[in-house]
Amino acid sequence: MSGVPIYATTGQRIWYYGFRVICGLIFFFLIAPILVIIPLSFNAQDFFTFTPEMLAFDPEGYSTKHYEDFFSNSDWQLALRNSLKIAPVATLISVSLGTLAAIGLSQSHVPFRRGIMAILISPMIVPLIISATGMYFFYSNPYIPTPFGKIELPFTLTGTYIGVVLAHAALGIPFVIITVTATLVGFDRSLTRAAANMGAGPVTTFFKVQMPLILPGVVSGGLFAFITSFDEVVVVLFVGSAGQKTLPWQMFTGLREQISPTILAVATILIAVSVVLLFVVELLRRRSERLRGITPS
Amino acid sequence: MAEDMLAADGRPLKASLNRALRRQKLRALMLIAPLLLFIMVSFVMPIFDMLFRSVENQIVSETLPRTTLALQDWDATAAQLPDDPVFEAMYTDLVLAAEYKSHTRLGSRLNYEMTGISSLFRKSGRAVGRFDTDRYTDAFQEADPAYADPAQWAEWMADDEIRAELPRTADAYDGWAKMLVSVEDELPVEEEPWDFVYTALYADAQAGADLPISVDLSGVEPVSLQAQFEDIDEDWLDPDVWLTIKRYSPDYTSGYFLNSVDLTKGADGIEARPENEQIYITLFIRTMIMSMSIMGMCVLLGYPIAWLLANLTDRTANMLMILVLLPFWTSLLVRTSAWKVLLQQEGVINDILVWIGLVADNDRLQMINNQTGTIIAMTHILLPFMILPLYSVMKTIPPSYLRAAKSLGATNWTAFWRVYFPQSVPGIGAGCILVFILAIGYYITPELVGGTKGVFISNRIAYHISSSLNWGLAAALGTILLVVVMLLYWVYDKIVGIDNVKLGG
């Protein structure tokens, strides 16, 4: 479909351009709410809408005071630090265990493959509120079930850093599994056989041959896991305590209680982060396809 | 074939291959095992814990073990009060529960089933230690000082013959001794038993048991426990209170599930809750309807976009894809706050409408804290989940089919409806299930932009976890939601296959 042919009727022309206008409006609907936040975050007033000064492009109407607030307010700083402490560790757990399992799952003969896959993907499907409820119950009083009754463990995970990290790692795993198995689908098995043939052990083969080739998939899976943890509110709200307050949690309470324009500054920073992530993932996808010998689209 | 083929090491080839296959399977499982174990512990067990809690009800039988047992013989349908043994059992249980401070928890549990029980238990927990039963204690101790000697008591209670003779006393003493050690951190051999132990001893004596040292009890005026309970609160003479305790004394209950579908256990079987307490069916239906509307909106908005992207040149499509992927990658909280900013009455959209003159300044549109707000914001949030699967299906439909249809004489509409659309249905199916699954369990967005009318069942679950502390009901509501989602997950797996889930194009 490249332009309207010259023989098109008026109706066809109207339809062609009308359709494009409709699509444009939908794209606008998708992107405008995100873009509108950016100028609003530079508002000199504590308003959530454009002030007359802003509309007149008067420099007086703009300021970076909400950003200054974000970087000086101890609540926000604590939240940022917590987020940065929780997300990388959770990501590390999901990526290391997830990659290993994805390699296992991509072998040619795996018993119960479908069932295992269903279990591993389920944290993505089960509504967060249900995961959070279950984790809240179980982590506050962990036990080992045996046929003779429960053996209660003498510690609690709710309100602890470890509890939140475990929960977030579990939520990130489906993303790692999906991206890494997708990368492994195109992986040429003869390469590992060739490496083995030349005398490399399984560990050497993995790190020298397989890992570099699937690395883009692993990294983008890791990015998904990272953003899942970094962006997660419901579970941390239930499993964590005030000491584990993360950035989204702080935003959530901010939006619910005293809505402060600092949220818009934080939101703008997060938009910048997601733009960077989006481009990194896109680059990795292309690189991965090139490595696997597929022409990137 | 006369002989089996042999492998290089001399074994039959078949066995050798089988062994290799087994080893391969084992290696694959070994690689998967750590993650599987991790998911089991950190995710699957919590889910099962929640499922278990939706039927678990051990609190009544744990807090009031003797009463539960005694109530088994009580005929609840006669609308009469239970007889003395039940009151005796309740007396012992309540004294102990008040020491363990578990009576208030039990009270709030039973309060879900009958309003007022919570305060009844709290009040009784304070008063139950001051019953007139010290009369028995004095009578025994005056008759023989041995009855006041802790060591003597411990000796009796270690004697199996005496225990068999005095079953109530033994039971009360054991409960008392256990409480003493765990709550008061004292030793029973050093403490004089409490009144309720003597009350049990008196009851045993009245039943004709031989006391270790016989005492003449004819001069002791019996204390009516029923009257003592009545003194605390007249509600104890209400058979409904006892009925509620009896009804919820089994270890497992369907009560929470009945509650979550607006039913309750009445005098004669299951009945509907009072009109003003019926909220959950409405809420489930609302959750369904709103998820469907969001799904419908997503199809409506996603289909043209996916079609456009699938039919543009790769270069342009990739550029436009960014507009779809950016919202997908942007934090949920960011998008929700954006809608909050846009939709509120002093917000950007209302400002623009007033400026254009479509809406009067004093008559701004109410677009937030209601269903409209939830539907708009969630459609925006979930739209990429519809576009991506639709796009990947449409990419596989050859554009030549449409051209072929047209050259055979079909109009634009016929060509689309009869040729293109049926081939895109798998994409619509996949996108719809995905969006529906995600929508039905949403919590954050409805909580922030939904007000009271636009909230989902998940908001109610969160409310029961953190505010009303009715965990059993939260678990039951969660279980119902989980079953619905799992059913859809299964359908999704059948139609699309979980292996084919794609992330970000």
Side-chain angles (χ1 to χ4, degrees):
Chain A
M1 172 158 128
S2 49
V4 217
I6 34 167
Y7 51 81
T9 60
T10 325
Q12 279 170 333
R13 264 166 218 279
I14 292 175
W15 170 241
Y16 178 85
Y17 290 110
F19 182 73
R20 262 142 220 256
V21 170
I22 293 171
C23 286
L25 287 175
I26 300 172
F27 276 123
F28 180 75
F29 170 73
L30 270 170
I31 209 78
I34 296 171
L35 294 185
V36 94
I37 287 222
I38 300 172
L40 279 180
S41 71
F42 292 100
N43 198 337
Q45 307 285 327
D46 285 349
F47 289 148
F48 282 97
T49 188
F50 291 98
T51 55
E53 292 87 14
M54 290 181 89
L55 292 176
F57 294 105
D58 183 352
E60 295 278 298
Y62 295 87
S63 88
T64 54
K65 70 173 195 176
H66 303 310
Y67 290 86
E68 285 157 23
D69 183 42
F70 171 67
F71 284 109
S72 58
N73 186 319
S74 61
D75 278 355
W76 284 106
Q77 286 305 300
L78 177 71
L80 178 65
R81 267 204 305 280
N82 275 333
S83 279
L84 290 177
K85 264 196 280 186
I86 290 165
V89 181
T91 307
L92 203 67
I93 297 175
S94 341
V95 169
S96 47
L97 293 178
T99 308
L100 220 57
I103 291 169
L105 280 169
S106 66
Q107 312 269 317
S108 40
H109 299 281
V110 186
F112 317 112
R113 185 171 191 278
R114 223 180 155 81
I116 292 174
M117 200 70 177
I119 292 174
L120 295 183
I121 303 292
S122 60
M124 192 173 86
I125 300 293
V126 173
L128 277 175
I129 188 79
I130 291 176
S131 315
T133 306
M135 285 166 174
Y136 176 67
F137 291 149
F138 184 74
Y139 285 10
S140 61
N141 199 3
Y143 57 84
I144 307 169
T146 63
F148 321 105
K150 299 182 204 175
I151 301 174
E152 304 220 340
L153 298 175
F155 54 84
T156 170
L157 288 171
T158 34
T160 66
Y161 171 71
I162 297 176
V164 177
V165 166
L166 281 185
H168 277 184
L171 295 180
I173 278 166
F175 298 97
V176 178
I177 293 284
I178 289 173
T179 43
V180 179
T181 39
T183 320
L184 282 166
V185 166
F187 183 74
D188 187 355
R189 302 227 144 252
S190 53
L191 292 175
T192 50
R193 279 200 289 274
N197 216 1
M198 291 171 172
V203 178
T204 321
T205 313
F206 175 71
F207 281 107
K208 292 263 175 185
V209 178
Q210 196 166 17
M211 193 63 188
L213 285 171
I214 63 167
L215 195 62
V218 174
V219 174
S220 67
L223 287 176
F224 270 105
F226 181 83
I227 202 78
T228 308
S229 165
F230 197 72
D231 192 21
E232 205 288 325
V233 212
V234 190
V235 169
V236 76
L237 216 55
F238 280 62
V239 174
S241 64
Q244 286 84 43
K245 194 174 241 194
T246 58
L247 217 46
W249 182 349
Q250 180 73 21
M251 286 180 82
F252 178 69
T253 37
L255 281 172
R256 199 159 58 166
E257 285 143 24
Q258 25 88 33
I259 175 157
S260 111
T262 311
I263 288 172
L264 299 185
V266 182
T268 308
I269 296 172
L270 289 182
I271 292 171
V273 172
S274 45
V275 169
V276 171
L277 284 181
L278 169 65
F279 278 99
V280 172
V281 169
E282 188 58 24
L283 283 179
L284 285 170
R285 190 176 66 88
R286 291 177 185 215
R287 184 181 155 76
S288 160
E289 286 181 350
R290 205 171 53 237
L291 281 175
R292 281 151 50 193
I294 307 168
T295 336
S297 57
Chain B
M1 207 191 296
E3 267 180 49
D4 281 341
M5 226 187 266
L6 295 185
D9 57 355
R11 292 160 188 269
L13 184 61
K14 215 170 175 181
S16 193
L17 280 175
N18 270 340
R19 207 166 54 116
L21 188 64
R22 216 166 31 242
R23 203 162 348 138
Q24 208 178 2
K25 280 184 180 174
L26 203 66
R27 200 177 52 208
L29 280 184
M30 291 275 277
L31 286 169
I32 301 168
L35 181 68
L36 207 55
L37 195 74
F38 179 80
I39 282 284
M40 282 292 169
V41 173
S42 64
F43 184 78
V44 176
M45 271 171 56
I47 297 291
F48 276 99
D49 193 47
M50 185 201 75
L51 297 181
F52 177 65
R53 268 175 204 262
S54 65
V55 290
E56 183 205 32
N57 186 46
Q58 277 148 354
I59 180 164
V60 181
S61 57
E62 264 170 20
T63 321
L64 305 174
R66 296 166 188 85
T67 316
T68 310
L69 209 63
L71 274 174
Q72 274 177 3
D73 303 329
W74 174 54
D75 180 14
T77 50
Q80 271 174 347
L81 275 181
D83 40 6
D84 285 342
V86 174
F87 280 97
E88 279 164 26
M90 178 57 102
Y91 174 43
T92 309
D93 283 337
L94 211 52
V95 174
L96 291 174
E99 285 305 313
Y100 286 117
K101 301 208 173 4
S102 57
H103 64 295
T104 47
R105 259 182 55 227
L106 176 68
S108 16
R109 160 69 186 98
L110 289 174
N111 208 54
Y112 304 141
E113 314 300 342
M114 184 178 173
T115 336
I117 290 203
S118 177
S119 62
L120 178 66
F121 268 82
R122 205 172 306 125
K123 209 158 136 193
S124 309
R126 283 194 303 265
V128 81
R130 296 193 296 269
F131 274 11
D132 290 339
T133 46
D134 51 342
R135 209 182 291 162
Y136 297 138
T137 315
D138 295 344
F140 278 107
Q141 293 185 351
E142 273 164 31
D144 196 316
Y147 282 111
D149 179 10
Q152 181 65 55
W153 265 101
E155 195 179 303
W156 284 334
M157 287 300 134
D159 185 334
D160 282 342
E161 261 174 51
I162 296 179
R163 286 180 70 93
E165 188 68 32
L166 307 171
R168 295 184 185 84
T169 318
D171 180 47
Y173 185 85
D174 289 350
W176 169 77
K178 199 171 149 215
M179 178 276 295
L180 209 59
V181 174
S182 61
V183 180
E184 313 256 313
D185 207 11
E186 313 243 20
L187 288 177
V189 281
E190 292 164 3
E191 291 292 311
E192 199 178 297
W194 293 3
D195 293 344
F196 70 87
V197 180
Y198 290 96
T199 313
L201 187 63
Y202 179 80
D204 275 330
Q206 290 304 96
D210 283 331
L211 296 177
I213 300 168
S214 57
V215 173
D216 178 23
L217 293 168
S218 56
V220 184
E221 190 193 333
V223 184
S224 162
L225 284 173
Q226 190 179 321
Q228 296 285 325
F229 271 103
E230 190 189 355
D231 279 348
I232 306 178
D233 198 306
E234 283 181 356
D235 278 354
W236 283 115
L237 297 192
D238 180 1
D240 280 351
V241 169
W242 295 98
L243 191 68
T244 308
I245 297 175
K246 182 182 166 81
R247 201 176 282 147
Y248 292 95
S249 59
D251 282 351
Y252 298 97
T253 178
S254 56
Y256 293 124
F257 276 104
L258 291 177
N259 196 344
S260 48
V261 289
D262 291 337
L263 298 173
T264 185
K265 283 189 202 174
D268 21 68
I270 293 161
E271 56 188 46
R273 288 207 162 233
E275 200 95 339
N276 56 349
E277 286 176 29
Q278 293 186 8
I279 49 171
Y280 296 111
I281 293 276
T282 330
L283 204 52
F284 272 116
I285 292 174
R286 187 205 287 162
T287 307
M288 287 285 173
I289 291 178
M290 286 181 65
S291 303
M292 295 254 195
S293 340
I294 292 161
M295 186 182 90
M297 291 284 286
C298 283
V299 176
L300 220 62
L301 298 180
Y303 201 90
I305 294 292
W307 194 80
L308 185 76
L309 289 176
N311 287 289
L312 285 172
T313 55
D314 281 343
R315 216 182 144 72
T316 335
N318 269 341
M319 290 297 287
L320 286 176
M321 198 51 143
I322 292 176
L323 298 182
V324 179
L325 289 177
L326 184 61
F328 181 80
W329 274 96
T330 308
S331 163
L332 172 68
L333 261 303
V334 171
R335 285 180 282 168
T336 308
S337 41
W339 282 110
K340 204 157 172 146
V341 167
L342 288 174
L343 294 177
Q344 58 186 313
Q345 293 208 304
E346 300 298 317
V348 176
I349 292 182
N350 260 318
D351 277 356
I352 293 175
L353 289 178
V354 169
W355 184 65
I356 297 176
L358 279 178
V359 174
D361 197 13
N362 51 7
D363 189 27
R364 284 163 175 259
L365 295 180
Q366 169 82 29
M367 290 181 291
I368 206 167
N369 296 334
N370 55 21
Q371 301 192 357
T372 323
T374 309
I375 290 179
I376 295 178
M378 283 183 61
T379 304
H380 177 248
I381 288 166
L382 295 176
L383 191 51
F385 292 94
M386 178 66 82
I387 295 178
L388 296 175
L390 262 178
Y391 170 70
S392 64
V393 168
M394 286 183 180
K395 260 316 234 192
T396 62
I397 306 174
S400 52
Y401 285 12
L402 263 185
R403 287 202 292 272
K406 280 187 207 166
S407 74
L408 289 173
T411 60
N412 278 341
W413 171 251
T414 320
F416 166 76
W417 186 246
R418 301 278 300 276
V419 176
Y420 195 87
F421 183 77
Q423 296 184 77
S424 68
V425 164
I428 298 181
C432 280
I433 298 178
L434 194 61
V435 167
F436 193 79
I437 287 180
L438 292 171
I440 202 174
Y442 241 62
Y443 167 66
I444 295 295
T445 310
E447 180 78 18
L448 290 174
V449 299
T452 48
K453 284 272 170 224
V455 292
F456 283 12
I457 198 74
S458 33
N459 301 83
R460 201 69 197 167
I461 297 176
Y463 165 78
H464 282 307
I465 295 276
S466 50
S467 303
S468 85
L469 304 182
N470 191 348
W471 291 1
L473 184 56
L477 291 172
T479 305
I480 296 176
L481 184 59
L482 184 65
V483 168
V484 174
V485 169
M486 282 293 133
L487 219 65
L488 289 169
Y489 182 31
W490 180 76
V491 173
Y492 186 85
D493 188 25
K494 286 273 163 240
I495 297 179
V496 196
I498 23 179
D499 307 16
N500 294 334
V501 181
K502 287 216 176 67
L503 296 167

